[in-house]
Amino acid sequence: MQPARAHAPGKIILFGEHAVVHGQPAIAVPLAAVQTWAEAIPDDFGSGLTVHAPDVDRTLHVADRFEALADASDPLYNALMFPLQLALNAWNAPLPDLAITVRSSIPIASGLGSGAALAAALIRALALALGRSLSNEALNALVYEVEKRHHGNPSGVDNTVIVYARPVFFVRGMPPAPFTIGAPFTLVVADTGVNSPTRLTVADVGQLYDMHPDRITPIFERIGAITCEARAAIEAGQIAALGPLMSENHALLRELTVSSPELNELCAAALSAGASGAKLSGGGRGGNMIALVTPDRAPVVARALQEAGATAVFVTTVA
Ligand code: PMV
């Protein structure tokens, strides 16, 4: 039998992170430059469900019942086995005899959607191996449940852009609204190298809002308005308008306390090297930032980001 193979891309949030948790829109695009792949083969020895994750040198195995292993506090269990447990429960399916190998080039805890992509690829491979059809809508609902386990209070933007693998204008609780990209644009993506769990930054912003709703509400609303302006500019192909909107969005994220000295330094370095806008992307306090560049400026900005301490830099075109 052929292995059942599935994959899912990373993602970049262009505008609206954090405010999206509180009802404002966000714009996110898939990032095909990084991917997660899962491959399922039948376990002929009939010994239950095994997940191999060679990237982190871990193998998890469930012989007969999930309960024996279900440790909600183990991040690796949550990332590798919980998505499968959740899907099998939802499908009322017995534990299959399968070995699934998963690999990923998406850096962990860095704002590029590694957890959602892992869950999407694993559940897709499982469905294929079991001969089940699985709509994007059904997969999205399952991956959202996994995101809740990782993040506590996710908006749903990560799972949506990753499952549908297309640009989305996303509002919490609404079906994803795809939108068109009027003209391609180039981003330099740079990693601070600092791992920062989204769960913590989302919880801190929630606390800040609870303590100072009068001060924080206008920040959320301005981020929402920036996101709507950016959507119009992207659809109209007016790429020049995006840079200032990105930088303003970053300044507002700083006010929400989710930037960091490393992120601010990388944004400043990108702007000095000729980027027209720069911001953190994702949960913040670490992870990745993005800079908008013209294609000819991309190598110069990428080099400046490396020199400013980025641990990984790549250039991507949103088209
Ligand atoms: O850090 P990431 O890639 O998981 O992005 C999270 C985006 C937030 O808006 C901060 C949280 C959310 O659930 O929308």
Side-chain angles (χ1 to χ4, degrees):
M1 194 191 130
Q2 288 288 322
R5 294 201 177 95
H7 62 97
K11 68 100 215 313
I12 305 175
I13 297 184
L14 298 183
F15 292 95
E17 53 273 268
H18 286 291
V20 68
V21 174
H22 302 270
Q24 297 295 330
I27 294 173
V29 294
L31 181 62
V34 287
Q35 294 271 340
T36 295
W37 304 268
E39 181 177 295
I41 53 168
D43 186 337
D44 294 333
F45 297 104
S47 55
L49 183 60
T50 306
V51 179
H52 300 290
D55 297 340
V56 288
D57 199 18
R58 276 286 292 264
T59 294
L60 297 185
H61 179 66
V62 176
D64 49 11
R65 291 170 58 232
F66 274 112
E67 284 73 12
L69 242 184
D71 177 358
S73 65
D74 176 358
L76 267 173
Y77 182 86
N78 289 339
L80 300 174
M81 197 56 94
F82 180 67
L84 302 169
Q85 177 178 7
L86 194 76
L88 290 167
N89 278 350
W91 302 335
N92 236 335
L95 190 76
D97 296 321
L98 277 180
I100 305 183
T101 301
V102 68
R103 288 173 201 275
S104 184
S105 62
I106 309 176
I108 295 168
S110 63
L112 299 182
S114 60
L118 208 50
L122 282 166
I123 297 173
R124 272 195 183 125
L126 179 69
L128 268 173
L130 299 183
R132 286 190 69 95
S133 71
L134 177 66
S135 67
N136 278 341
E137 199 184 350
L139 177 62
N140 198 25
L142 289 169
V143 180
Y144 182 58
E145 290 305 311
V146 178
E147 287 285 281
K148 280 191 194 162
R149 181 105 155 189
H150 289 311
H151 291 176
N153 180 24
S155 65
V157 63
D158 280 18
N159 45 283
T160 301
V161 65
I162 282 168
V163 165
Y164 288 87
R166 62 182 194 217
V168 291
F169 180 85
F170 178 86
V171 178
R172 187 169 190 165
M174 310 275 281
F179 70 103
T180 44
I181 309 242
F185 53 95
T186 305
L187 296 173
V188 183
V189 183
D191 197 339
T192 58
V194 177
N195 281 5
S196 172
T198 301
R199 172 185 281 277
L200 296 183
T201 55
V202 167
D204 285 357
V205 172
Q207 214 172 43
L208 198 64
Y209 171 75
D210 290 341
M211 280 160 57
H212 309 284
D214 295 349
R215 188 161 68 76
I216 301 305
T217 300
I219 298 178
F220 288 159
E221 287 174 350
R222 180 59 198 145
I223 292 177
I226 287 172
T227 304
C228 292
E229 285 173 45
R231 175 192 189 163
I234 293 172
E235 289 194 312
Q238 288 164 353
I239 303 311
L242 293 181
L245 292 173
M246 283 171 63
S247 294
E248 188 186 349
N249 194 162
H250 182 74
L252 293 164
L253 288 163
R254 284 181 77 160
E255 286 189 50
L256 293 179
T257 75
V258 295
S259 192
S260 68
E262 293 86 354
L263 283 164
N264 296 336
E265 262 166 50
L266 292 184
C267 288
L271 294 172
S272 308
S276 61
K279 65 182 278 294
L280 71 86
S281 179
R285 294 209 191 127
N288 280 273
M289 54 75 69
I290 53 176
L292 181 70
V293 293
T294 52
D296 58 314
R297 271 331 267 179
V300 179
V301 172
R303 204 167 327 115
L305 286 165
Q306 263 156 357
E307 281 162 13
T311 54
V313 178
F314 60 91
V315 178
T316 185
T317 301
V318 180

